[in-house]
Amino acid sequence: MMCSGASCGTAKVDKLKKCPEGNNADIKLAKGTKSDVVPCSIDECQKDQSPKQEDEEACEKRAVITDDVDVLLYNALPDDVLFKQPESSHLGDCPVCCLPLSLDTAKSSMMMCCSKIICNGCACANAVREVEGRLKHTCLFCREPAPDTKEGRDRQNTKRAVANDPVALREEGKAQQRKGHYEKAFEYYTNAAKLGEKEAHFLLSTLYLNGHGVEKDRQKSTYHQEEAAIGGHPGARYVLGQHESFFGNADRAVRHYVIAATQGHDRAINALTEMFKEGYVEKDDLAAALRAHKAAVDATKSPQREAEEEFQRARLARKLENTNLS
């Protein structure tokens, strides 16, 4: 199935690429200056990607030739799967108050003892309860004693990683990446992704894209971005939108941005606003996206979370005041 603006009928076949899913098939890349769509004709690949044999979009590969490198935008998923609106973000809900977690990771924290992400509102309320009752500090979810040092928290996370906890594996990968140990990070991310951890898929995509700890592979990078996106990762969805926009596929970029914006992603709604100015988005569609974005952000608010934010603002103001006095 050809996408709009493609002209691959007269293009000369220049190179061959392997299907990233491991099927014994070559994908022909058409050489030219415009984006080309080359449908995969391999039955085995089509069976793996879509339950419907007649779904022609299941294995489309859009080849784009730049000045110095052949870039393949590989769509491993059919559009009805890729552009389906996720029920929630990859972060899910706080397990204590059961409200959606904010995409701003500074507004929540992970418990290393159980790998649960707790919103700051619940954490603050629990801290007040412990102070007033003179109770020992424990995990809000599993009630395990909370370590006071970074070393203790790292030991807890390592213990969870050994037990194949996907979130703990991802965090171990992040720790290795911060140290510059990309190969170890790749191993941890891969194991976490196999267990369904969506953030790990997104982190794997960056390693493949940059060639850190693994051979650079744009196909696999896009594959992991798509896996993260359909799992509710708005950051991955936003990156896919950027890719589509860069290669001139404005309609597909808009669809990605709308999904990310509906999850409360700020940069996606900003991208939609810019595309509206350029004439790619209708006024009513932008208005609907703005309402959905606001609803997603409002859903993450609660009196406890707002009280914690007010406490942090007052704390920062006192700190600045003391700094000025000194």
Side-chain angles (χ1 to χ4, degrees):
M1 181 178 293
M2 304 297 179
C3 67
S4 60
S7 57
C8 57
T10 59
K12 179 180 178 181
V13 173
D14 181 66
K15 294 189 177 182
L16 294 176
K17 293 283 186 179
K18 294 293 183 180
C19 176
E21 296 306 310
N23 297 324
N24 295 322
D26 289 333
I27 303 169
K28 295 182 178 180
L29 294 187
K31 180 140 186 168
T33 57
K34 296 183 179 181
S35 300
D36 301 314
V37 178
V38 185
C40 177
S41 61
I42 307 303
D43 294 338
E44 185 62 28
C45 187
Q46 291 178 347
K47 289 179 181 178
D48 290 345
Q49 301 301 339
S50 174
K52 296 182 179 180
Q53 292 287 336
E54 65 273 14
D55 191 347
E56 297 179 4
E57 292 182 348
C59 294
E60 285 185 350
K61 286 82 184 172
R62 296 194 307 285
V64 181
I65 309 304
T66 63
D67 294 336
D68 57 348
V69 66
D70 292 336
V71 180
L72 181 66
L73 280 182
Y74 174 81
N75 287 100
L77 299 170
D79 282 359
D80 60 343
V81 175
L82 181 60
F83 291 108
K84 183 178 180 180
Q85 181 72 46
E87 294 182 1
S88 65
S89 79
H90 66 296
L91 295 174
D93 300 338
C94 170
V96 178
C97 64
C98 298
L99 292 177
L101 289 166
S102 172
L103 298 183
D104 184 354
T105 55
K107 295 183 178 181
S108 60
S109 56
M110 195 184 89
M111 304 293 103
M112 295 299 185
C113 49
C114 56
S115 300
K116 298 298 182 183
I117 300 178
I118 309 295
C119 73
N120 288 353
C122 290
C124 183
N126 182 61
V128 171
R129 180 187 67 87
E130 291 176 340
V131 170
E132 292 179 347
R134 297 185 178 182
L135 304 173
K136 185 178 180 180
H137 182 47
T138 60
C139 171
L140 181 55
F141 184 79
C142 68
R143 299 304 182 186
E144 284 289 320
D148 298 326
T149 63
K150 182 180 182 300
E151 290 74 14
R153 291 190 290 271
D154 289 344
R155 283 195 299 270
Q156 282 187 332
N157 191 72
T158 301
K159 183 179 179 181
R160 297 287 301 179
V162 171
N164 279 334
D165 182 297
V167 177
L169 288 169
R170 181 201 68 201
E171 292 302 308
E172 284 290 323
K174 286 183 177 180
Q176 295 298 328
Q177 186 170 349
R178 286 192 293 268
K179 297 176 183 178
H181 301 160
Y182 293 109
E183 292 184 359
K184 291 183 178 179
F186 174 79
E187 182 179 351
Y188 280 114
Y189 292 155
T190 299
N191 291 335
K194 288 179 180 178
L195 295 172
E197 220 292 314
K198 301 307 178 184
E199 176 75 9
H201 275 292
F202 181 63
L203 295 170
L204 274 175
S205 74
T206 63
L207 295 185
Y208 275 116
L209 181 64
N210 298 312
H212 290 162
V214 66
E215 184 178 354
K216 184 180 292 188
D217 192 319
R218 294 175 183 270
Q219 293 182 36
K220 290 183 179 179
S221 176
T222 301
Y223 164 76
H224 286 290
Q225 285 172 359
E226 290 184 350
E227 286 296 315
I230 65 173
H233 196 297
R237 181 73 66 178
Y238 173 76
V239 172
L240 288 174
Q242 284 187 309
H243 288 176
E244 297 289 3
S245 179
F246 179 80
F247 292 117
N249 303 311
D251 56 337
R252 296 177 68 87
V254 168
R255 294 175 72 181
H256 281 303
Y257 289 148
V258 166
I259 294 175
T262 303
Q263 294 177 286
H265 196 271
D266 293 337
R267 295 177 69 182
I269 201 68
N270 292 338
L272 281 174
T273 302
E274 291 302 317
M275 295 191 77
F276 166 73
K277 296 177 182 178
E278 297 171 3
Y280 293 110
V281 181
E282 296 293 333
K283 181 177 181 180
D284 291 343
D285 294 334
L286 176 62
L290 286 167
R291 289 192 297 269
H293 176 269
K294 183 178 184 302
V297 173
D298 289 345
T300 66
K301 297 179 180 179
S302 72
Q304 291 80 10
R305 296 180 183 183
E306 292 177 0
E308 190 276 336
E309 291 179 14
E310 180 60 32
F311 170 79
Q312 294 296 340
R313 285 192 291 267
R315 183 181 181 183
L316 179 60
R318 289 195 300 269
K319 184 177 181 180
L320 292 174
E321 183 179 354
N322 292 335
T323 301
N324 293 332
L325 291 177
S326 61

